Amino acid sequence: MKFDLLIINGKLIDPAFGFSKKGDIGIKDGKIEKIYAPGKLTPKVISTFPKESILDANGAVVTPGLVDIHVHLREPGREDEETVVSGCESAAAGGFTSLCCMPNTQPAIDNQETVKFVTSLAENADCRVYCIGAITKNREGKELSEIGDLVKAGIVAISDDGDYVQNPDLMRRALEYARMFDLPVITHAEDEFLAAGGVMNESFQSTKLGMPGTPAVAEEIAVIRDIKLAGLTDSRLHVAHVSTVGGVEAIRRGKAEGVKVTAEAAPHHFTLTDDLIAERFDTNLRVNPPLRTEADRQAIIEGLIDGTIDCIATDHAPHTEEEKDTVFDEAPPGIIGLETSLGLAITELVGKGYLSLPDMLAKMSANPAHIMGLTSNKLQEGEIADLTIFNPDAAWIVKEKKFKSKCKNSPFVERKLKGKILVTIMNGRVTFRAK
C-alpha cells in the first residue's frame, strides 16, 4: 500500500461517532484510504514509507477538521484588514479546514457575482470557504436579497450580521423564503434603538467608567422576537454570538418548545468580562455584542454544557492597528479569533472541567457543520482527508508576531494557553505545520 501521507501513533477522536482510539491513518488522493488499529503497521512496514510522508502524532489528537461558521474575511472592500487568502492562512493555523464568511463586505455579499468572486478567491486557499449571503440588499434592512439566486450561487445561510433586521415583517419574510431552501437564517440579535450609542456592556463598570452602555435587554428582546418568528414560520434560526443570561434562557425555552433554533458562543464571551475594561482600557476589548458580566459568562458556559448553545464560533473580525489605536469609544468593535479559539476552548472549558474533549470538539466541528449543512468530514475510510492534529496538553503563549492574520487585534496576546495546533490537513494537503 502506498500513501501520500501516513499519520502514525495518533489518538483518533471523532465526536460525531463518539469514538476515541489509537490508530494510524493512510491518506491518498485527498481521502482517508486506510485506518489501522495499533500495531497493524509494524515499524518495518512504516520504514518503507518516505520520511517526508510520515507524520508522527504521538501524544497528539487527530480529529476531523475544525469548522468555523462565523468569520469576517473583509474581501472585497477591506483588503487592508484581511483577504480571503490571508484569512484562510489564519484559519489553517487555528486548525480549521472549513469556514463560513459573513456578508458584511464592501460591496455586501448580496448577489451571485460577489458570491462567485469570493468563492473563486478561495479555490487554492488553505481552507474551504462557504459564503453566507445577506438577508437584505446591501444589508440595509429595507428589501430582501434575491435569496433564490444566492442559493444557486452556493450560499449556506443568510444573515445581515453586524446589524439586526429591525423590521419584524421583513424578518418573517426572510425566514419564510429561507425555509423553502432549508437554509438557516443567522440573526445578529441586537435591538438598535436600545443599543444605540453603547460602546460596552451597560453595567456597574460602564457607570463607573462613564461610558455609554448597551443593555443586555437589547439582545434578549431581539432573540425572543426572532425565536417567535422562527416558530411561527417553522423555519431554521441560528443565533450568533449569544452573550447574555436572558439570551441563553430564551434559546433554551425555544428549543424546549420545539422551535428550530441553534446558537453559537464566541470564545471571548466565555473567557472575558467587562471588569477587564476598567483594568486595561484596551480597545481590543471592544467587541459587539460587548463583553458582559461574570453572571453572563457563567450562563454562556452553562449553555455550552447543557447543549443550549450548539457550537463555538470565533466571530473573527480583523481591524488594523491604526483603527484600534484610538480611544476606547472610537475604536471599531471586533477582534481576531481564528488562531486562539482551540487554545481558549481547551484552557477555559476542558481544562476547567466544563466540557470533555470530545464534547468540545463536537462544538467546533460536527455541530457547526451540521447547522450549515456542510459535508461533515469524518474519521472513516473513503472520507475526505480534512484533519486537525493537536496536542491538548502542550502549553504555549500567544505571540502577536506569529499571527497569520493580516491584523493583530487580539486581547489574548501574551496569554498562556493549553492545546497547540501541530498540523492541519485539508483535502489531503498539509495547510499548516507548527515550527
Side-chain angles (χ1 to χ4, degrees):
M1 184 71 74
K2 290 185 178 180
F3 302 118
D4 302 321
L5 276 176
L6 179 63
I7 303 170
I8 60 173
N9 301 318
K11 181 180 181 181
L12 315 183
I13 297 180
D14 189 329
F17 287 98
F19 70 71
S20 175
K21 61 186 181 184
K22 293 283 286 185
D24 306 318
I25 299 177
I27 297 172
K28 187 177 181 182
D29 297 331
K31 293 189 175 181
I32 298 173
E33 182 79 8
K34 190 72 178 176
I35 297 178
Y36 296 96
K40 288 292 183 181
L41 278 181
T42 64
K44 184 178 179 180
V45 173
I46 293 173
S47 69
T48 63
F49 289 89
K51 285 186 179 179
E52 60 272 19
S53 69
I54 299 174
L55 295 173
D56 191 344
N58 188 32
V61 168
V62 183
T63 194
L66 305 184
V67 177
D68 189 349
I69 62 173
H70 193 145
V71 176
H72 299 274
L73 290 178
R74 303 301 195 205
E75 192 174 18
R78 287 304 306 267
E79 291 81 359
D80 57 322
E81 293 181 330
E82 197 78 284
T83 65
V84 172
V85 169
S86 68
C88 287
E89 288 177 359
S90 178
F96 293 95
T97 57
S98 294
L99 65 82
C100 300
C101 62
M102 285 296 179
N104 52 343
T105 49
Q106 302 170 13
I109 304 176
D110 64 359
N111 57 78
Q112 287 192 340
E113 289 70 28
T114 311
V115 174
K116 291 175 183 175
F117 174 71
V118 172
T119 305
S120 67
L121 292 174
E123 282 181 355
N124 298 311
D126 290 339
C127 191
R128 298 179 197 280
V129 174
Y130 300 92
C131 287
I132 296 168
I135 295 174
T136 63
K137 292 181 179 177
N138 203 30
R139 298 176 52 257
E140 292 178 341
K142 298 177 181 176
E143 184 180 358
L144 287 182
S145 301
E146 300 294 339
I147 296 171
D149 286 350
L150 288 168
V151 171
K152 289 177 184 174
I155 63 161
V156 294
I158 54 174
S159 178
D160 272 3
D161 186 56
D163 290 297
Y164 183 57
V165 179
Q166 297 294 324
N167 183 330
D169 184 58
L170 196 65
M171 186 63 169
R172 174 182 177 175
R173 303 303 169 203
L175 286 159
E176 288 173 339
Y177 274 108
R179 184 187 60 195
M180 295 167 57
F181 307 101
D182 194 27
L183 206 65
V185 179
I186 304 173
T187 181
H188 175 109
E190 182 183 69
D191 184 284
E192 70 177 17
F193 299 102
L194 286 166
V199 300
M200 63 178 291
N201 182 44
E202 183 178 288
S203 64
F204 167 76
Q205 291 295 352
S206 67
T207 303
K208 180 177 154 187
L209 295 171
M211 290 190 188
T214 297
V217 72
E219 174 176 292
E220 294 158 0
I221 283 178
V223 171
I224 291 168
R225 186 205 76 174
D226 285 349
I227 288 176
K228 290 293 183 185
L229 290 174
L232 175 68
T233 58
D234 193 28
S235 305
R236 294 173 60 201
L237 177 75
H238 179 73
V239 182
H241 43 46
V242 59
S243 68
T244 61
V245 172
V248 175
E249 182 53 34
I251 295 163
R252 187 176 287 122
R253 274 200 310 273
K255 288 191 171 191
E257 293 168 1
V259 178
K260 298 172 185 173
V261 57
T262 55
E264 70 188 36
H268 45 274
H269 285 133
F270 62 70
T271 303
L272 307 174
T273 69
D274 61 356
D275 292 339
L276 203 57
I277 296 173
E279 295 175 25
R280 291 168 45 177
F281 274 106
D282 181 357
T283 56
N284 289 325
L285 296 171
R286 186 173 178 197
V287 290
N288 187 25
L291 301 179
R292 304 287 187 179
T293 66
E294 177 62 17
D296 294 303
R297 191 182 77 87
Q298 290 296 331
I300 299 297
I301 293 172
E302 187 58 39
L304 287 163
I305 293 171
D306 71 12
T308 300
I309 300 175
D310 306 82
C311 66
I312 295 168
T314 65
D315 193 6
H316 177 84
H319 292 291
T320 65
E321 184 177 354
E322 290 76 18
E323 290 175 304
K324 282 289 192 179
D325 187 17
T326 183
V327 294
F328 190 88
D329 53 357
E330 293 182 3
I335 59 173
I336 60 172
L338 285 165
E339 295 168 66
T340 52
S341 182
L342 182 83
L344 287 167
I346 290 178
T347 304
E348 296 294 328
L349 300 177
V350 178
K352 294 182 179 178
Y354 297 121
L355 292 178
S356 68
L357 188 58
D359 285 345
M360 184 220 75
L361 290 173
K363 292 182 185 295
M364 295 186 72
S365 57
N367 292 4
H370 179 71
I371 291 168
M372 290 295 175
L374 309 183
T375 302
S376 183
N377 42 315
K378 308 176 183 71
L379 282 182
Q380 283 188 320
E381 294 176 0
E383 291 289 332
I384 293 172
D386 281 6
L387 302 169
T388 302
I389 305 174
F390 67 96
N391 185 334
D393 300 315
W396 60 290
I397 296 174
V398 180
K399 293 292 183 184
E400 183 178 297
K401 65 182 181 181
K402 290 194 173 182
F403 282 135
K404 301 289 185 183
S405 172
K406 292 186 77 171
C407 293
K408 319 298 177 189
N409 53 311
S410 169
F412 299 110
V413 171
E414 297 301 325
R415 185 163 181 148
K416 186 177 181 180
L417 300 177
K418 283 187 75 175
K420 186 175 182 181
I421 301 295
L422 302 178
V423 177
T424 307
I425 298 169
M426 183 192 71
N427 203 27
R429 175 171 66 92
V430 174
T431 54
F432 173 80
R433 189 192 298 253
K435 295 179 179 176

